[in-house]
Amino acid sequence: MSKILFVMTGVDYWTLADGTRHPTGFWAEEAVAPYEAFKAAGHEIVVATPGGVVPTVDKGSLAAEYNGGQENADRVAGVLAAATELQHPISLQDVNLDEYAAVYYPGGHGPMEDLAVDADSGKLLTLALESGKPLGVVCHGPAALLAAEQDGVNAFAGYRVAAFTNDEETQSGFADKAKWLLQDRLTEAGVQVQVGEPWAPHVVVDRNLVTGQNPASSAPLAAQLLKTLG
């Protein structure tokens, strides 16, 4: 049994262009689907957040409409409530990458607020990339890649990735309210965003980096990470 590190947002809001705070956090499915897959495969999970803050679930992500009905929404909420790892995160600053077989970043709008500018997360991502260990990042999680910069060059420049697209942000009603769009910022950093159909599963593998476009991509991304772990 090996350990997998979940790096998660520590905020419960996302600051919009007009300065208002939109309540958010991490997206339930993007934590739960990989959590269940990794646990079922016998792996141990450790959660890390900036400052060791207990991560907040985006309440919208627990709605029936995003979980295929109320029954599954209740099941997802139950998994989160029972996941003791989420209640006892370690601080990102205390992470020793050598202890982990893989690293995974779920999304939600939270990472747009904190992980996008978190130097500790940026260093960890750079180390994970260089280590050759499986590194999974999904949906808005790739916002964290923006902080992996050294001497003005992004560590992920030239890598092919999937990430939440401008079309999806537009369809979710936030494109015109956001300070910046993830697809645009990644592209500006030299990252090659591979755009799939809105809301459909889309996973991109480039070397040890495995990325997913949206919540529906989190389960297939977890399967790919497990395959890579062997």
Side-chain angles (χ1 to χ4, degrees):
M1 182 172 81
S2 54
K3 289 204 285 192
I4 297 177
L5 181 70
F6 272 45
V7 180
M8 302 179 70
T9 178
V11 297
D12 58 5
Y13 64 90
W14 174 36
T15 307
L16 302 178
D18 66 0
T20 59
R21 288 184 169 189
H22 171 67
T24 186
F26 69 88
W27 196 260
E29 181 180 359
E30 295 164 28
V32 168
Y35 178 89
E36 291 187 303
F38 298 153
K39 294 282 271 196
H43 297 289
E44 183 184 339
I45 290 169
V46 175
V47 173
T49 63
V53 175
V54 175
T56 299
V57 64
D58 186 317
K59 289 187 175 53
S61 69
L62 294 173
E65 63 186 295
Y66 295 124
N67 292 283
Q70 191 60 49
E71 188 178 341
N72 194 53
D74 292 343
R75 188 192 70 78
V76 166
V79 172
L80 289 175
T84 53
E85 298 92 341
L86 288 168
Q87 306 308 316
H88 303 282
I90 64 172
S91 174
L92 252 180
Q93 293 92 322
D94 298 332
V95 169
N96 177 2
L97 185 61
D98 293 341
E99 297 176 9
Y100 303 96
V103 178
Y104 172 66
Y105 277 67
H109 278 113
M112 299 274 283
E113 184 74 27
D114 61 351
L115 297 181
V117 293
D118 189 287
D120 292 308
S121 173
K123 282 180 204 153
L124 177 64
L125 283 165
T126 304
L127 287 172
L129 197 62
E130 292 170 351
S131 74
K133 294 179 181 187
L135 171 60
V137 195
V138 74
C139 201
H140 287 93
L145 308 188
L146 297 170
E149 195 175 277
Q150 200 168 13
D151 301 324
V153 180
N154 192 284
F156 294 85
Y159 276 78
R160 293 178 297 109
V161 307
F164 203 68
T165 65
N166 290 355
D167 282 348
E168 286 167 323
E169 205 69 86
T170 299
Q171 290 175 28
S172 64
F174 286 108
D176 59 347
K177 299 175 185 171
K179 286 183 181 177
W180 47 271
L181 298 178
L182 181 56
Q183 182 184 332
D184 291 347
R185 283 288 296 277
L186 288 170
T187 302
E188 287 162 14
V191 181
Q192 298 174 19
V193 181
Q194 312 283 294
V195 177
E197 287 296 314
W199 312 110
H202 179 54
V203 174
V204 173
V205 182
D206 189 345
R207 288 155 275 186
N208 59 318
L209 178 65
V210 185
T211 49
Q213 180 171 309
N214 46 38
S217 306
S218 51
L221 184 151
Q224 181 63 41
L225 268 190
L226 286 171
K227 194 167 135 192
T228 310
L229 272 173

